[in-house]
Amino acid sequence: MEPEPQERLQAAFDATIARHDRIEPRDWMPEAYRRTLVRQIAQHAHSEIIGMQPEGNWISRAPSLRRKAILLAKVQDEAGHGLYLYSACETLGVSRAELTDLLLTGRQKYSSIFNYPTLSYADVGTIGWLVDGAAICNQVPLCRTSYGPYGRAMIRICKEESFHQRQGYELLMTMMRGTDAQRAMVQESVDRFWWPSLMMFGPPDERSPNSGQSMAWGIKRNSNDELRQRFVDMSVPQAEALGVTLPDPELRWNEERGHYDFGEPDWEEFAAVISGNGPCNAQRLAHRRAAHEDGAWVREAASAFAARSTEEEVR
Ligand code: FAQ
């Protein structure tokens, strides 16, 4: 007997995933796959846009013209990443206006890391080194994600994140070659950002409700704990080269595992931050809302211009 059309569609989808091939926007996909992608890509896009705020805070106070130019370029890149990701998400049948509304009304999340304050200029370097470093670890495997538009957006994003990571490390290296006060500033910044950076990878695998299905669908290629371990292994020698101490007394090389052992992040703090009660959640969303309202006239003008251009074309 011929299979039902629905079964045939599902079988074609499963075969594409099994071949590690790409699902494209016009292909049939299960509704739950589409919803998971919208959740993850939108959360990622919102993170890029909200992620402009902590570093943007230092543009007007950068210590030199060179540092200001670098920081401006980096923050501008984050805006670009947000736009590629919103566009990838729109191919799944949601509009950017809907996604923005979901963010502003607190119905979609953004990365926990951007709810921490930037208290000194060293934070610009630490964010580049650790936050962009964690982002790269998490995002390189996403270049092979099963949804075509997301994977292709990730390739360009990763190239740019890699420049961001280097500029952060170079900034910290410069400060570490400076005065005692500068070295202390770097250490204090690393002390604040280390644990929140580990939390960026999400909850431990046994408490990650989405990982199993997302890995079966090839949306995620590695588990949260695998990537967290990769990040720790990568960061320890970098910290040694820099001359800073990572604030974890349990951090040590495990010969048997061939990896560094490390302590447990404070998962209660993580839960508080992702449910809206981190140090800067209210401030970040209020700022984003105000920017959205301030930009209303630009959106209206662009829509009026587009409508007039279409009318002229029709005539
Ligand atoms: N923050 O079941 P799982 C950047 C949520 S990089 C907030 O493990 P999943 C670059 C999760 O959504 C930062 N929420 O979830 C930059 C889920 O929520 P639900 C952005 C988190 O999706 C650098 C619940 O917890 N990168 O922006 C976090 O399988 C410097 C249960 O978790 C990405 O978004 C968190 N850290 O795995 C910009 C990468 N972790 O279901 C500016 C793409 C988990 O309640 C300056 N995303 N949750 O709605 C991913 O790889 C995945 O979504 C994970 C989470 C790994 C983040």
Side-chain angles (χ1 to χ4, degrees):
M1 204 170 50
E2 273 283 293
E4 292 294 315
Q6 178 73 19
E7 284 167 18
R8 264 188 277 138
L9 291 169
Q10 179 75 49
F13 172 86
D14 293 343
T16 307
I17 298 290
R19 281 198 310 274
H20 299 291
D21 228 335
R22 290 244 152 110
I23 304 293
E24 295 297 337
R26 284 164 201 265
D27 294 343
W28 181 89
M29 61 187 84
E31 180 51 26
Y33 175 83
R34 194 189 73 83
R35 263 188 281 116
T36 298
L37 278 169
V38 169
R39 178 185 62 78
Q40 179 167 325
I41 303 173
Q43 171 168 323
H44 196 163
H46 301 325
S47 303
E48 300 282 356
I49 300 297
I50 297 273
M52 295 166 73
Q53 292 184 37
E55 288 164 288
N57 184 34
W58 285 92
I59 292 174
S60 59
R61 287 172 288 159
S64 67
L65 182 61
R66 177 171 174 267
R67 291 291 170 199
K68 193 181 184 117
I70 294 170
L71 185 54
L72 264 174
K74 179 186 192 266
V75 172
Q76 210 165 303
D77 281 353
E78 312 297 359
H81 298 174
L83 299 188
Y84 315 149
L85 288 163
Y86 283 127
S87 299
C89 208
E90 283 188 311
T91 65
L92 291 156
V94 276
S95 70
R96 186 158 148 209
E98 281 173 80
L99 297 171
T100 304
D101 188 55
L102 289 167
L103 168 70
L104 297 183
T105 52
R107 285 173 294 157
Q108 274 180 345
K109 297 187 171 78
Y110 58 89
S111 181
S112 49
I113 191 73
F114 304 117
N115 292 307
Y116 291 86
T118 42
L119 304 178
S120 77
Y121 199 74
D123 289 356
V124 170
T126 308
I127 290 179
W129 174 39
L130 294 178
V131 175
D132 285 280
I136 294 168
C137 246
N138 165 267
Q139 292 171 13
V140 165
L142 290 175
C143 295
R144 292 180 292 109
T145 193
S146 59
Y147 188 57
Y150 189 26
R152 288 188 286 275
M154 289 318 306
I155 292 170
R156 176 153 176 191
I157 292 177
C158 283
K159 285 190 181 150
E160 292 177 353
E161 298 289 22
S162 150
F163 149 71
H164 294 172
Q165 205 246 4
R166 277 151 191 259
Q167 71 79 35
Y169 197 73
E170 188 265 348
L171 167 63
L172 294 182
M173 199 50 112
T174 306
M175 289 184 79
M176 291 303 285
R177 288 200 205 101
T179 62
D180 285 348
Q182 284 174 309
R183 278 187 284 278
M185 207 189 272
V186 173
Q187 183 62 59
E188 189 275 336
S189 170
V190 170
D191 288 347
R192 276 183 291 110
F193 274 95
W194 174 249
W195 291 107
S197 301
L198 293 191
M199 294 175 196
M200 287 175 70
F201 295 92
D205 292 351
E206 73 276 8
R207 274 179 276 149
S208 162
N210 300 299
S211 280
Q213 183 60 73
S214 287
M215 286 175 71
W217 276 328
I219 294 176
K220 282 168 82 164
R221 295 287 180 195
N222 301 87
S223 79
N224 298 356
D225 286 332
E226 272 169 21
L227 294 176
R228 196 173 358 256
Q229 179 73 63
R230 197 176 285 177
F231 174 67
V232 171
D233 290 347
M234 183 180 101
S235 302
V236 174
Q238 293 174 351
E240 280 164 9
L242 205 51
V244 293
T245 310
L246 295 173
D248 179 357
E250 292 176 47
L251 195 62
R252 65 182 60 86
W253 178 250
N254 182 326
E255 193 63 56
E256 222 168 276
R257 291 198 313 119
H259 291 290
Y260 283 92
D261 288 338
F262 57 101
E264 196 66 32
D266 179 347
W267 294 116
E268 273 176 32
E269 176 182 316
F270 174 73
V273 172
I274 68 170
S275 56
N277 300 313
C280 298
N281 295 57
Q283 180 189 331
R284 299 291 185 236
L285 267 185
H287 190 85
R288 182 70 194 88
R289 261 187 218 113
H292 188 66
E293 283 157 20
D294 285 351
W297 70 273
V298 179
R299 291 189 295 280
E300 276 163 32
S303 307
F305 179 76
R308 207 179 60 198
S309 308
T310 319
E311 254 173 50
E312 277 166 14
E313 262 171 43
V314 171
R315 267 195 257 124

